[in-house]
Amino acid sequence: MLELASPAVIWSAVLYLAAVVGIGFWAARRTRSAKDFFIAGQGIGLLVTALAATSAAFSGFVFIGGPGLAYRIGLASMFICIPVGFTSGLLCWVVAKRLRLLAGVREVYTIPDVIRCRYGSRLAAGLAAVAVIVGTIGYLGAQLQALGILIEAVFGTKALLGAWSLPAAMALGTLVILVYATAGGMVAGVYTDVVQGTLMMGAAVAVFFHALEAGGGLERMARTIAGSEAFGPEHLDPLGATPVVTALGLFFVFAVGTLGQPHMLHKFFMLDDPRKLKWMPLAIGASQSLCLLIWLGVGLAVPALVAGGRLAPLAHPDQAAPQFLLGFAPPLLAGLVIAGILAAIMSTADSFVNIGAAAIVRDLPRALGMRVADELRWGRVAGVALTAAAAVFAFHYGDLIALLGTFAFGTFAAALAPAIAVGLNWRRVTAVAASASIATGMAVNLLVEFLGRQTSFAALPKPPFVPGVVPAAAAMAASFTVLFAVTWVSRCRASVAIDPAVEAVMEL
Amino acid sequence: MARRAALVFLGLAAPAVLVSLVIPGPAAGVLFAVLAMAFPVALIVLAVARDGRLGGLGPPLALLLVVLEGGVAAMLLLRGRVADGPWIGGLPAAAAVMIYGLWLAPLVVVALAHALAFDRSGLRSEDLDELERRFRDPGESA
């Protein structure tokens, strides 16, 4: 059981939480319109956009879930991370430029707005909004679960509250997120993202080097793990114990699926000048790579420490990062890193509160031919409802944070990546193909996830895939297949009339 | 040509990925590995090809493809050889290929290729000015 952390750690966490609530209230006074609330008034520069994209993309999933998954399956877990070597370029080449240009010539605040502009279809936009809401509940849930585990570890609430510890810790974290995210909207999100992104990078680099020191260096850690009975050489073999379809399925989903992540794509709408995209891959790729050092460092150090008998085997893999920090890092470093992890969790959560709120009060009503009178006020109400739903969902999901995060990432990837990535680059993709692809991606991901996990209905079949398939990989392949097949079938019947502004953007 | 090839590849690779996830056996796993690595590169080709050509981006994209496919082939060949195989940079060879080859090498290649080609084939100022002149909402500049 984890004990109460040192005063330095507790004060770091308390000061950090107080600071972000303060930023939320300050930003609330600068949020005057729906454009401010949803896309920060479209006035932020290269570094802020890159930091915002990094801190939105990297979350409790990376900082808590990553080391946890590495503890469970070894280096195969890094297939989630390594696509960052090229996904920033993939994003900029395939979608970022067109998204930003589109936001300059049409009123585009959200990804369903993009779908509506590109395809002129309320059905496709409505389906995209539903996918955003479903994925948001999963992603927000992963953040709240990670926040609960961290608060529980730092404040030692388990000893005090027993079985109520995690729900109470999640409730406290939810409250803080709600205050600053729903009050300040994306203005608060962007300003806190800068602080959070910087903190995350500093914390990840510091903890990486400390992990190397604690474990006796990279090679010594690796040899200790390889020589242990508990882990063995397979733990360091990327394609060893983990099936190829699992390991490379994670790679496929986290590489191609990046093109459908609304919390990252959304940041490109906010860039003040599209010419600043020139160095964006370097800025995003470098900052993401620095943050991921925590996954590699703690992911190797904790198994090495367990294998060497310096740390007891973990009761739950997700305790890897908190256990390492509270047990092996100096209090000041632990405080900095705990604040960095809180930053990672909260920066992603606030992005999703805003994106999900926009889907509920803006995208879905527009798809149904309606308009909400006061989007700003109702956006805040929707944010509260969505966060509460996510907390309940996460509490009942009951699995690793990384798996919950993979489900959410996969929902966006399968539903949105084909219609956006191919649709913005090939004018023959039809509205009916986009709608079919979004519906297929969402449905297959949910169905395969459900059939793979459920034990209540014995008569239901298992998914028809080989063991170890990542549901999102199959769903994304199905979604791309449907997009191309339906485009081919419907190419003659449907007239592909595209808004001239959208067409001009696609030609650049 | 490049654009058409990318579209044909993507159109065939997507169902092939799906099939490779249903059929058991090592050959299906290898097929999945090859397609999963090439898929993102094909999407980039689809996005950047102009008049069927990749311009200056051809060599870096070819290098990216070689690094990704070569990296996964090396990891497959080195599978199960942690204890008796070579170690590079403090890690078993397969892990080193993953960290240094598939993560860090593409970061440098892609970031530089994007920046160096941006003014020529990414977004030219005159094209941006023309787009804004034709379509910017007049209410915004008022």
Side-chain angles (χ1 to χ4, degrees):
Chain A
M1 186 181 294
L2 295 164
E3 293 174 359
L4 190 69
S6 71
V9 173
I10 294 174
W11 276 109
S12 300
V14 169
L15 284 175
Y16 175 76
L17 293 173
V20 292
V21 170
I23 291 174
F25 280 116
W26 169 78
R29 290 190 296 171
R30 294 175 56 118
T31 301
R32 298 184 188 91
S33 66
K35 189 172 181 177
D36 289 337
F37 190 80
F38 293 126
I39 61 167
Q42 203 173 60
I44 61 175
L46 167 70
L47 282 178
V48 177
T49 306
L51 280 173
T54 296
S55 55
F58 287 177
S59 56
F61 179 5
V62 165
F63 280 66
I64 304 268
L69 193 62
Y71 182 84
R72 185 193 272 189
I73 70 169
L75 275 185
S77 70
M78 296 293 295
F79 277 109
I80 292 176
C81 308
I82 58 169
V84 302
F86 65 88
T87 47
S88 51
L90 179 74
L91 271 169
C92 288
W93 272 314
V94 178
V95 292
K97 180 178 76 175
R98 293 184 174 90
L99 291 177
R100 175 56 189 84
L101 293 178
L102 200 54
V105 296
R106 288 288 177 266
E107 190 190 88
V108 169
Y109 296 169
T110 65
I111 291 305
D113 277 347
V114 173
I115 299 279
R116 184 175 42 76
C117 278
R118 163 61 181 87
Y119 296 105
S121 162
R122 291 199 319 214
L123 175 63
L127 287 167
V130 173
V132 168
I133 293 167
V134 172
T136 293
I137 288 174
Y139 235 120
L140 251 182
Q143 308 319 308
L144 297 175
Q145 192 180 341
L147 198 52
I149 285 172
L150 196 63
I151 288 174
E152 198 177 34
V154 171
F155 294 101
T157 54
K158 192 121 188 167
L160 196 66
L161 300 172
W164 288 97
S165 168
L166 188 59
M170 284 174 68
L172 176 64
T174 303
L175 193 65
V176 175
I177 286 173
L178 280 175
V179 167
Y180 93 101
T182 60
M186 200 45 86
V187 175
V190 165
Y191 283 106
T192 50
D193 278 350
V194 175
V195 178
Q196 288 164 336
T198 309
L199 197 54
M200 284 159 59
M201 277 191 289
V205 172
V207 84
F208 173 72
F209 286 108
H210 188 76
L212 289 186
E213 195 183 320
L218 190 59
E219 181 155 356
R220 188 168 165 198
M221 286 195 296
R223 291 203 182 274
T224 305
I225 293 168
S228 73
E229 278 188 20
F231 300 99
E234 304 81 22
H235 203 75
L236 299 174
D237 194 343
L239 296 174
T242 308
V244 170
V245 289
T246 306
L248 296 181
L250 291 172
F251 177 91
F252 182 56
V253 170
F254 284 86
V256 178
T258 307
L259 297 167
Q261 303 304 309
H263 55 307
M264 290 198 74
L265 305 184
H266 196 234
K267 298 292 184 283
F268 296 118
F269 299 145
M270 303 175 194
L271 188 62
D272 56 2
D273 182 349
R275 281 168 284 220
K276 290 181 179 172
L277 285 168
K278 180 176 181 176
W279 292 103
M280 192 66 81
L282 182 63
I284 294 180
S287 56
Q288 287 188 330
S289 294
L290 289 176
C291 286
L292 285 169
L293 289 177
I294 198 169
W295 189 315
L296 181 64
V298 178
L300 286 175
V302 170
L305 291 167
V306 170
R310 293 169 62 194
L311 180 65
L314 302 183
H316 193 284
D318 281 337
Q319 289 176 354
Q323 284 272 27
F324 176 78
L325 293 170
L326 298 178
F328 292 88
L332 273 178
L333 176 61
L336 170 74
V337 178
I338 295 283
I341 296 175
L342 285 171
I345 293 168
M346 298 178 74
S347 55
T348 302
D350 75 51
S351 282
F352 276 110
V353 170
N354 288 293
I355 287 168
I360 291 172
V361 301
R362 179 183 165 82
D363 301 324
L364 264 185
R366 286 179 185 218
L368 297 169
M370 300 183 291
R371 288 219 177 211
V372 172
D374 186 350
E375 285 184 353
L376 186 56
R377 181 199 292 176
W378 287 108
R380 286 174 170 146
V381 173
V384 173
L386 205 58
T387 309
V392 172
F393 174 69
F395 191 69
H396 287 95
Y397 189 82
D399 207 332
L400 291 190
I401 293 164
L403 298 183
L404 180 54
T406 301
F407 159 72
F409 192 99
T411 302
F412 293 134
L416 302 175
I420 294 171
V422 181
L424 285 178
N425 292 290
W426 189 33
R427 69 181 309 282
R428 289 197 188 182
V429 180
T430 60
V432 65
S435 301
S437 164
I438 295 168
T440 301
M442 193 165 34
V444 172
N445 192 45
L446 286 172
L447 191 65
V448 174
E449 187 81 31
F450 171 74
L451 290 177
R453 287 180 167 274
Q454 72 88 23
T455 51
S456 306
F457 307 100
L460 287 177
K462 286 287 173 194
F465 300 111
V466 294
V469 164
V470 179
M476 197 164 68
S479 179
F480 270 105
T481 301
V482 166
L483 185 89
F484 281 105
V486 177
T487 293
W488 190 75
V489 169
S490 61
R491 71 195 190 286
C492 297
R493 288 184 209 151
S495 60
V496 187
I498 302 177
D499 175 348
V502 178
E503 195 154 20
V505 165
M506 289 173 68
E507 283 169 4
L508 282 181
Chain B
M1 177 64 185
R3 185 178 164 79
R4 185 177 293 264
L7 276 170
V8 170
F9 172 81
L10 291 167
L12 296 175
V17 165
L18 209 49
V19 169
S20 71
L21 297 178
V22 175
I23 299 171
V30 171
L31 174 65
F32 176 68
V34 171
L35 296 174
M37 293 289 155
F39 210 93
V41 182
L43 282 168
I44 296 174
V45 170
L46 174 66
V48 302
R50 293 283 174 278
D51 302 321
R53 293 171 185 274
L54 292 172
L57 285 172
L61 290 180
L63 181 61
L64 176 63
L65 183 63
V66 168
V67 167
L68 293 178
E69 297 288 4
V72 79
M75 283 191 293
L76 284 167
L77 289 172
L78 290 164
R79 198 157 41 159
R81 295 195 56 206
V82 168
D84 62 341
W87 282 52
I88 302 165
L91 291 168
V97 166
M98 179 194 221
I99 303 296
Y100 307 129
L102 290 182
W103 179 357
L104 299 181
L107 180 63
V108 177
V109 171
V110 164
L112 287 180
H114 186 272
L116 295 176
F118 190 80
D119 293 331
R120 198 165 9 103
S121 58
L123 185 61
R124 293 181 303 183
S125 288
E126 55 267 34
D127 292 339
L128 182 62
D129 294 341
E130 172 66 11
L131 181 78
E132 290 185 345
R133 190 188 60 74
R134 284 176 63 198
F135 297 108
R136 187 180 273 297
D137 179 2
E140 268 192 36
S141 56

mmCIF file of all heavy atoms in Angstrom, chain A residues 2 25 106 162 199 213 238 246 337 371 480 485:
data_model
loop_
_atom_site.group_PDB
_atom_site.id
_atom_site.type_symbol
_atom_site.label_atom_id
_atom_site.label_comp_id
_atom_site.label_asym_id
_atom_site.label_seq_id
_atom_site.Cartn_x
_atom_site.Cartn_y
_atom_site.Cartn_z
ATOM 1 N N LEU A 2 0.496 2.244 -0.735
ATOM 2 C CA LEU A 2 1.302 3.459 -0.800
ATOM 3 C C LEU A 2 1.083 4.322 0.438
ATOM 4 O O LEU A 2 -0.012 4.413 0.963
ATOM 5 C CB LEU A 2 0.903 4.261 -2.046
ATOM 6 C CG LEU A 2 1.209 3.581 -3.357
ATOM 7 C CD1 LEU A 2 0.451 4.257 -4.472
ATOM 8 C CD2 LEU A 2 2.675 3.592 -3.643
ATOM 9 N N PHE A 25 -9.661 30.873 -13.719
ATOM 10 C CA PHE A 25 -10.451 32.065 -13.393
ATOM 11 C C PHE A 25 -9.965 33.288 -14.168
ATOM 12 O O PHE A 25 -10.750 34.089 -14.651
ATOM 13 C CB PHE A 25 -10.394 32.338 -11.880
ATOM 14 C CG PHE A 25 -11.338 31.458 -11.102
ATOM 15 C CD1 PHE A 25 -10.862 30.539 -10.184
ATOM 16 C CD2 PHE A 25 -12.714 31.540 -11.312
ATOM 17 C CE1 PHE A 25 -11.723 29.711 -9.483
ATOM 18 C CE2 PHE A 25 -13.585 30.719 -10.614
ATOM 19 C CZ PHE A 25 -13.087 29.802 -9.697
ATOM 20 N N ARG A 106 -13.342 29.558 -43.793
ATOM 21 C CA ARG A 106 -14.681 29.140 -43.376
ATOM 22 C C ARG A 106 -14.747 29.118 -41.852
ATOM 23 O O ARG A 106 -13.716 29.020 -41.194
ATOM 24 C CB ARG A 106 -15.021 27.738 -43.917
ATOM 25 C CG ARG A 106 -15.276 27.710 -45.419
ATOM 26 C CD ARG A 106 -16.609 28.359 -45.759
ATOM 27 N NE ARG A 106 -16.881 28.417 -47.192
ATOM 28 C CZ ARG A 106 -16.611 29.453 -47.985
ATOM 29 N NH1 ARG A 106 -16.028 30.528 -47.495
ATOM 30 N NH2 ARG A 106 -16.926 29.428 -49.259
ATOM 31 N N GLY A 162 -9.858 3.632 2.379
ATOM 32 C CA GLY A 162 -10.072 2.247 1.957
ATOM 33 C C GLY A 162 -10.645 2.165 0.555
ATOM 34 O O GLY A 162 -10.125 2.781 -0.382
ATOM 35 N N LEU A 199 6.561 22.019 -18.292
ATOM 36 C CA LEU A 199 6.733 21.225 -17.073
ATOM 37 C C LEU A 199 6.863 19.737 -17.409
ATOM 38 O O LEU A 199 7.713 19.021 -16.862
ATOM 39 C CB LEU A 199 5.507 21.467 -16.185
ATOM 40 C CG LEU A 199 5.579 21.097 -14.714
ATOM 41 C CD1 LEU A 199 6.767 21.757 -14.039
ATOM 42 C CD2 LEU A 199 4.292 21.534 -14.017
ATOM 43 N N GLU A 213 20.148 6.551 -13.490
ATOM 44 C CA GLU A 213 21.065 6.537 -12.349
ATOM 45 C C GLU A 213 20.603 5.501 -11.309
ATOM 46 O O GLU A 213 21.410 4.720 -10.806
ATOM 47 C CB GLU A 213 21.087 7.932 -11.731
ATOM 48 C CG GLU A 213 22.240 8.143 -10.779
ATOM 49 C CD GLU A 213 22.164 9.521 -10.131
ATOM 50 O OE1 GLU A 213 21.811 10.491 -10.826
ATOM 51 O OE2 GLU A 213 22.422 9.599 -8.923
ATOM 52 N N PRO A 238 11.214 -6.521 -28.680
ATOM 53 C CA PRO A 238 9.997 -5.832 -29.128
ATOM 54 C C PRO A 238 8.965 -6.764 -29.766
ATOM 55 O O PRO A 238 7.770 -6.558 -29.618
ATOM 56 C CB PRO A 238 10.510 -4.825 -30.164
ATOM 57 C CG PRO A 238 11.944 -4.628 -29.829
ATOM 58 C CD PRO A 238 12.430 -5.913 -29.243
ATOM 59 N N THR A 246 -0.231 -7.647 -32.315
ATOM 60 C CA THR A 246 -0.461 -6.721 -31.199
ATOM 61 C C THR A 246 0.546 -5.580 -31.250
ATOM 62 O O THR A 246 0.168 -4.400 -31.232
ATOM 63 C CB THR A 246 -0.308 -7.447 -29.838
ATOM 64 O OG1 THR A 246 -1.157 -8.586 -29.822
ATOM 65 C CG2 THR A 246 -0.657 -6.526 -28.688
ATOM 66 N N VAL A 337 8.082 16.186 -10.800
ATOM 67 C CA VAL A 337 7.534 15.210 -11.738
ATOM 68 C C VAL A 337 6.047 14.959 -11.473
ATOM 69 O O VAL A 337 5.252 14.837 -12.416
ATOM 70 C CB VAL A 337 8.333 13.890 -11.683
ATOM 71 C CG1 VAL A 337 7.722 12.859 -12.619
ATOM 72 C CG2 VAL A 337 9.777 14.142 -12.065
ATOM 73 N N ARG A 371 -29.744 25.216 -33.973
ATOM 74 C CA ARG A 371 -28.659 26.017 -33.407
ATOM 75 C C ARG A 371 -28.933 26.277 -31.944
ATOM 76 O O ARG A 371 -30.073 26.570 -31.571
ATOM 77 C CB ARG A 371 -28.532 27.359 -34.125
ATOM 78 C CG ARG A 371 -27.968 27.221 -35.502
ATOM 79 C CD ARG A 371 -27.017 28.366 -35.805
ATOM 80 N NE ARG A 371 -26.433 28.138 -37.125
ATOM 81 C CZ ARG A 371 -25.231 28.526 -37.463
ATOM 82 N NH1 ARG A 371 -24.472 29.144 -36.588
ATOM 83 N NH2 ARG A 371 -24.766 28.309 -38.671
ATOM 84 N N PHE A 480 -11.036 2.352 -43.471
ATOM 85 C CA PHE A 480 -10.372 2.739 -44.729
ATOM 86 C C PHE A 480 -10.945 1.924 -45.892
ATOM 87 O O PHE A 480 -11.172 2.457 -46.989
ATOM 88 C CB PHE A 480 -8.854 2.501 -44.630
ATOM 89 C CG PHE A 480 -8.077 3.674 -44.111
ATOM 90 C CD1 PHE A 480 -7.574 3.681 -42.826
ATOM 91 C CD2 PHE A 480 -7.835 4.786 -44.915
ATOM 92 C CE1 PHE A 480 -6.841 4.756 -42.338
ATOM 93 C CE2 PHE A 480 -7.105 5.870 -44.444
ATOM 94 C CZ PHE A 480 -6.605 5.853 -43.143
ATOM 95 N N ALA A 485 -14.047 1.542 -50.881
ATOM 96 C CA ALA A 485 -15.039 0.729 -51.596
ATOM 97 C C ALA A 485 -16.283 1.552 -51.940
ATOM 98 O O ALA A 485 -16.772 1.517 -53.079
ATOM 99 C CB ALA A 485 -15.419 -0.484 -50.743
#
